[in-house]
Amino acid sequence: MNQHHQSVVNQVQSLLLSDENKPEWVNRYSGYADAIIANLDSIKGNRRRLREWAPLKFYLNITNAKKAKRTVRFDVRYLGQTVAELISNTDGVTLSTKATKDYESTNLRDFDCDIKLRNAPWVGKEAAAFRAFFKNRNPMRNNTETNKSNEEHRVESLLLSEFSKSEEKTLPNIKPVMIEGLRFPMPTPIGASKFGKTKYAKQGSGGIDILARVGTGGRATYLCVIELKDENKPSEPASHAIEQALKYAIFIRELLRSNAGADWWKLFGLGGSIPAKLTIHAVCAMPHIENVDTSFAGEIVQVGDDEIQLDYIYFTEQGNEIIDIKTSLSYGKQAEVSV
């Protein structure tokens, strides 16, 4: 095994398994799972009342999932960026551009949208005009050079849409982890956004770009932790991205081996019990260019009795759509990539 990647395992485990940190995150994520499971009927019932109007997409973050006993709040995103909040309960469904947070200034800055909504009925004229605005505009963000993090969210949304297809997929046998059909950003208690640095936080911290399932079904289905970059450039090479993916995959492994592991296994959409030996894929996803780095593909990183396999996804985008994917994933579309 690559000695550097072994040192990454040791570094992340030292943070997660310390006497101070382990009880904190285990208790926190156990509480997350308990609350989400308790609210699943409410989430499902409210989700069924809503039609998702392309190109807007619904997301359910962990904070709102925990509080979804009666009222469910959904992020409404366009090109991966939140543009409004949808609130659903037995009283009805409303849309707001200024609720928990204020999205009006960024809507105007990034999309030239000056529509302001305050608890507008989802089936009413104001909400319809809001949806039509985004449906009819050219799918681009203003000032992409000054809003790089939002550009990464746009590409993330494209990949999520591609992975969610039921047919004509550029990458078969992959599905994003969702909660009752809602896109679900999976948080972590570690932050690894800066190469070579890992931090622990009792609140907030890191987040997995895309958590997915890959495989052909049953026991031949594996979790896949994907770290996404919207550019492929020397200052942020694949070796950096794969290290980030590995760090988050180590957390997922520790989470599944904790006393809350069985609950998270089910929330991740996996059946049966957790295998005695886990295999998790850690993947970097980046635009395809000539001479991409494939040197780490298929490398096995040992974490206790479990394994993390390193892989790549190199994608080609055209017209705000993913048109080709080249990958080393064992259960995806195999393709030769020049190096």
Side-chain angles (χ1 to χ4, degrees):
M1 179 172 60
N2 182 300
Q3 290 303 310
H4 174 67
H5 290 152
Q6 180 60 62
S7 70
V8 171
V9 173
N10 297 339
Q11 178 191 41
V12 175
Q13 285 192 313
S14 69
L15 284 175
L16 291 175
L17 304 181
S18 72
D19 291 341
E20 178 182 0
N21 293 339
K22 183 177 180 180
E24 191 280 325
W25 72 259
V26 168
N27 182 65
R28 180 166 27 130
Y29 279 78
S30 178
Y32 289 166
D34 288 344
I36 295 171
I37 290 170
N39 292 334
L40 280 179
D41 286 344
S42 173
I43 295 169
K44 180 188 294 186
N46 281 284
R47 175 65 183 90
R48 284 178 174 175
R49 301 168 65 191
L50 305 172
R51 175 185 170 186
E52 192 174 65
W53 295 76
L56 300 178
K57 298 294 182 181
F58 298 159
Y59 288 68
L60 179 69
N61 63 45
I62 204 158
T63 298
N64 289 337
K66 289 191 306 173
K67 299 178 179 179
K69 186 175 182 180
R70 294 184 178 86
T71 298
V72 187
R73 293 177 179 267
F74 307 94
D75 285 345
V76 180
R77 298 192 190 184
Y78 172 71
L79 302 183
Q81 182 174 324
T82 302
V83 293
E85 189 173 359
L86 196 60
I87 302 100
S88 177
N89 55 36
T90 54
D91 295 329
V93 183
T94 59
L95 188 68
S96 292
T97 52
K98 188 175 182 179
T100 306
K101 295 182 180 179
D102 184 353
Y103 302 109
E104 291 169 359
S105 61
T106 50
N107 288 353
L108 183 62
R109 181 195 70 189
D110 295 340
F111 308 119
D112 298 319
C113 179
D114 60 1
I115 300 174
K116 299 180 180 180
L117 304 176
R118 298 291 188 278
N119 298 317
W122 178 242
V123 296
K125 291 182 178 180
E126 289 180 290
F130 186 79
R131 295 194 298 266
F133 175 88
F134 289 101
K135 180 179 180 179
N136 295 329
R137 76 183 303 276
N138 188 25
M140 294 179 62
R141 176 182 289 104
N142 302 335
N143 307 315
T144 56
E145 290 303 314
T146 58
N147 296 294
K148 296 303 294 180
S149 63
N150 288 333
E151 183 63 9
E152 191 167 287
H153 288 316
R154 181 189 69 82
V155 179
E156 175 190 306
S157 182
L158 287 186
L159 283 171
L160 284 168
S161 294
E162 184 62 31
F163 295 164
S164 298
K165 289 180 179 178
S166 57
E167 56 187 19
E168 298 182 0
K169 299 171 68 167
T170 56
L171 183 60
N173 302 320
I174 186 168
K175 286 286 186 183
V177 167
M178 305 176 86
I179 300 294
E180 299 299 339
L182 296 156
R183 294 182 177 185
F184 178 70
M186 181 65 193
T188 75
I190 59 169
S193 59
K194 293 184 178 180
F195 177 68
K197 296 183 179 180
T198 313
K199 64 179 182 179
Y200 180 86
K202 293 182 179 181
Q203 295 294 330
S205 202
I208 296 171
D209 287 338
I210 298 176
L211 183 62
R213 299 184 302 274
V214 293
T216 54
R219 287 296 184 182
T221 303
Y222 307 92
L223 284 173
C224 182
V225 175
I226 302 174
E227 177 65 26
L228 170 67
K229 301 298 179 185
D230 66 295
E231 294 182 291
N232 197 334
K233 56 186 181 181
S235 61
E236 293 183 292
S239 59
H240 290 193
I242 198 65
E243 181 175 314
Q244 287 177 263
L246 173 59
K247 290 177 180 180
Y248 293 136
I250 294 166
F251 166 68
I252 293 297
R253 183 266 180 183
E254 298 299 339
L255 177 63
L256 292 174
R257 291 305 183 200
S258 74
N259 58 16
D263 288 338
W264 281 104
W265 184 256
K266 292 178 181 178
L267 286 171
F268 292 154
L270 296 158
S273 57
I274 300 175
K277 181 178 180 179
L278 273 171
T279 297
I280 299 172
H281 292 266
V283 181
C284 72
M286 307 176 75
H288 180 252
I289 59 173
E290 291 187 2
N291 302 318
V292 292
D293 182 5
T294 63
S295 61
F296 52 85
E299 178 187 333
I300 300 297
V301 180
Q302 204 73 31
V303 185
D305 294 329
D306 301 318
E307 294 180 347
I308 297 175
Q309 179 172 316
L310 308 186
D311 286 293
Y312 62 79
I313 289 175
Y314 291 117
F315 58 87
T316 302
E317 175 195 348
Q318 183 178 338
N320 202 49
E321 185 178 358
I322 303 298
I323 61 170
D324 186 55
I325 286 177
K326 303 184 187 305
T327 183
S328 60
L329 277 167
S330 302
Y331 297 93
K333 176 183 175 183
Q334 297 297 323
E336 292 295 330
V337 180
S338 59
V339 295

